[in-house]
Amino acid sequence: MRSLTVLYDAQCEVCRRARAWLERQAQYVPLEFVAAGSDEARARFPGLDARRTLEEVTAVGDDGAVYRSAKAWVVCLWALVDYRRLSLKLARPRLLPRAERFVARLARRRRRR
Amino acid sequence: MTNLIVPTYFLYLAASIALTVWVARTLHKNGRVFLLDVFGREDLADSVNHLLVVGFYLVNLGYVALALKLGYAVANVQQSVEALSLKIGWVLLVLGAMHFFNLFVFSRMRRRRQLERTPPPVAPDARLGKPAGA
């Protein structure tokens, strides 16, 4: 994978902050950010369900691999020089379900507002 | 009573330098493979290998020179052997420590390099038909 495009909810403060944080980190794999549900997102990824990308963060590799929710987070961390080790730990079978629950809870809270 | 201190010094220097050269050569010869794996380029690997060995020589010979002085007279062969073994023992320990430190540096470099090559740790949820992005 040579680049990773992250579809995030540009209307959400937490998501924008997360984007800003990710952009500041040193990257093994360049990260690109596109507002979910935008015309650009639709034009570049016609195969993705736009509503779903607004509900959960989605990362798409240049190889066409689509990662959603906690997996998108793990892949974003994997793209970062200082967090790749952490991403490998998070991806272990014992931790991934917890990360998934955590991210799902965050997403629910976000939707309620 | 003869003073054997100068011959002891010479023996010490000869043994210490020989040991340093031996360890440095071992490091140079066997470290190259690691560095080639890390850098992937022969010229760069050889350059780093050479620089590492120079540093290794400097530290060890520096220690050997600093530790030369005995501080007491050596009256007979027995004392000479004892003094030699004490000094050379320290040199060996310093060499050993430096050697393991070098190995540590090599393996760290290699681990870092392997991390760079690691594929994403999670399987994708889906795959888009055509390559995404520009």
Side-chain angles (χ1 to χ4, degrees):
Chain A
M1 192 189 295
R2 298 230 175 100
S3 69
L4 193 65
T5 307
V6 182
L7 292 146
Y8 72 107
D9 183 358
Q11 308 295 318
C12 138
E13 173 68 22
V14 180
C15 313
R16 280 202 306 270
R17 276 180 195 221
R19 171 198 168 155
W21 181 82
L22 285 167
E23 276 179 329
R24 279 200 304 273
Q25 310 301 315
Q27 299 162 354
Y28 281 128
V29 177
L31 292 175
E32 208 186 321
F33 295 88
V34 175
S38 66
D39 292 341
E40 190 191 349
R42 258 182 257 271
R44 284 182 58 179
F45 307 109
L48 285 181
D49 177 0
R51 258 189 51 203
R52 196 166 174 192
T53 61
L54 275 169
E55 276 172 16
E56 50 186 17
V57 60
T58 308
V60 186
D62 63 332
D63 54 356
V66 179
Y67 304 89
R68 294 198 181 97
S69 196
K71 281 187 179 175
W73 266 108
V74 169
V75 173
C76 283
L77 292 175
W78 169 84
L80 303 177
V81 173
D82 294 328
Y83 295 90
R84 180 163 283 190
R85 222 178 277 276
L86 176 70
S87 82
L88 300 184
K89 287 202 182 104
L90 282 176
R92 286 182 193 157
R94 276 187 60 184
L95 274 180
L96 193 61
R98 281 189 213 182
E100 274 163 355
R101 279 200 298 277
F102 179 71
V103 173
R105 203 181 310 148
L106 278 184
R108 268 204 305 281
R109 278 186 53 174
R110 198 169 66 82
R111 237 172 288 152
R112 228 179 281 148
R113 276 193 292 156
Chain B
M1 194 166 80
T2 52
N3 191 350
L4 288 175
I5 198 149
V6 173
T8 307
Y9 281 167
F10 277 118
L11 274 172
Y12 162 76
L13 281 178
S16 305
I17 291 169
L19 283 168
T20 304
V21 170
W22 173 60
V23 178
R25 278 173 171 247
T26 307
L27 191 74
H28 190 256
K29 206 166 63 191
N30 297 294
R32 193 171 176 275
V33 189
F34 270 92
L35 293 172
L36 258 176
D37 184 58
V38 171
F39 293 108
R41 274 172 51 188
E42 207 161 323
D43 53 346
L44 200 62
D46 284 336
S47 158
V48 171
N49 198 11
H50 194 80
L51 294 171
L52 268 172
V53 167
V54 169
F56 189 80
Y57 270 121
L58 287 175
V59 172
N60 281 300
L61 294 179
Y63 175 78
V64 167
L66 284 175
L68 174 88
K69 194 177 176 186
L70 260 180
Y72 52 86
V74 179
N76 52 42
V77 175
Q78 181 203 335
Q79 283 179 1
S80 168
V81 171
E82 283 166 4
L84 260 179
S85 106
L86 190 76
K87 290 282 173 187
I88 290 173
W90 275 113
V91 169
L92 283 171
L93 286 181
V94 170
L95 277 169
M98 280 291 292
H99 192 59
F100 278 117
F101 175 72
N102 262 298
L103 287 183
F104 170 72
V105 171
F106 280 160
S107 67
R108 246 186 84 110
M109 284 175 161
R110 189 147 177 269
R111 235 184 304 150
R112 202 166 174 84
R113 178 73 180 155
Q114 278 176 336
L115 199 64
E116 278 171 38
R117 294 179 191 153
T118 309
V122 283
D125 293 301
R127 216 166 251 287
L128 294 180
K130 68 178 176 63

